Amino acid sequence: MKIVRARDYDDMSRKVANIISAQVILKPDCVLGLATGSTPIGAYKQLAEWNHKGDCDFSQVSTYNLDEYRGLSHDDPQSYHYFMKTNFFDHVNIDQSRTHVPDGSNPDADAACKEYDRIVAEAGYPDLQLLGIGNNGHIGFNEPDDHFSKGTHCVDLTESTIQANSRLFDRIEDVPRQAYTMGVQTIMFAKMIVIAANGPAKAQAVYDMCYGPVTPKCPASILQLHDNVVVVADEAALALCPKE
C-alpha cells in the first residue's frame, strides 16, 4: 500500500480527485468504480470544477457504484442512485446511460446481485476503484464477518453502520437494514484501488487496514494483498499509523 498524507479533508479531496482525473486523462474511456457517503463528496466537487473548466472530460467514462440500499427506489432522496446524480453525475458531462448502481428497488436479491455481477464483469472491472472505509473496517457494505465475500450480495447492515448512516435520515428507524453490495472479490479485481479516509473516527480502521492482520473481521485488510493500492488520508485518520 502507498499512503498519501493530506493536511485535512479539503487536501484529501484534491489529492483523490487528482488521481481520478489522471486516470480519465490517460484513458478517456476508462471504467471507474465509485463510492458514496460523505468522504468522496469533496473529490466529486473538485472533479466537477475541473470538468467545467475543460480539464477533465467524462464523456466516454463508464461508472459502477459499490452498493445501494435494498428497498429504495432510484429517485428516493436517500438512495445512492439519487446521491450520485445530485453530487456528481448531474454536474459533469458523463453519459448517464453509462452510470450503474445496484438495483435496490428489485426485491429479488439473488436476481439483482447476479445481474450486477454480470454487467461489472462485462465491463472488465474498474480501472480505478474508489473506496471509503467504515469505522468498523467495512468497504462497500462488506461488514466484518467470518469470511471474505465474493460477488455482489445482500447484506444485513451492522448496528454501528446503521448508527453511522442515521445522520443522513430524519429518524434512525428510516435507515434501511439491508443493502446490495459488490463483494470483496469483485473489488479486488479492480486494476487500481484508491481509499479515502478522514477524521479521527477512522483512525483505528485505517491502522487495521494497513498494518493489522488480514482478516474478514476487518474487511479492508484484504487490500494489503492487492498490488496497486493508494490510501489518501488526513492526519487525523493516520494518527495511529507510523510516519514512514
Side-chain angles (χ1 to χ4, degrees), residues 92-110:
V92 295
N93 68 331
I94 197 166
D95 177 352
Q96 294 201 25
S97 69
R98 296 174 181 263
T99 65
H100 308 83
V101 181
D103 186 5
S105 67
N106 185 350
D108 187 335
D110 187 56

Side-chain angles (χ1 to χ4, degrees), residues 14 24 33 46 52-53 61 72 74 76 79 86 95 109 113 132 147 157 159 210 226-227 231 236 239 241:
R14 283 190 297 272
V24 174
Q46 182 65 76
H52 294 159
K53 291 179 178 178
V61 170
L72 299 188
H74 297 180
D76 189 301
S79 74
T86 57
D95 177 352
C113 294
H147 66 282
L157 303 182
E159 189 58 36
C210 297
H226 195 283
D227 61 5
V231 180
C241 296

Side-chain angles (χ1 to χ4, degrees), residues 37-39 162-170 175:
S38 57
T39 303
I162 291 167
Q163 290 286 344
N165 291 355
S166 65
R167 70 190 188 282
L168 305 172
F169 291 79
D170 292 334
V175 183

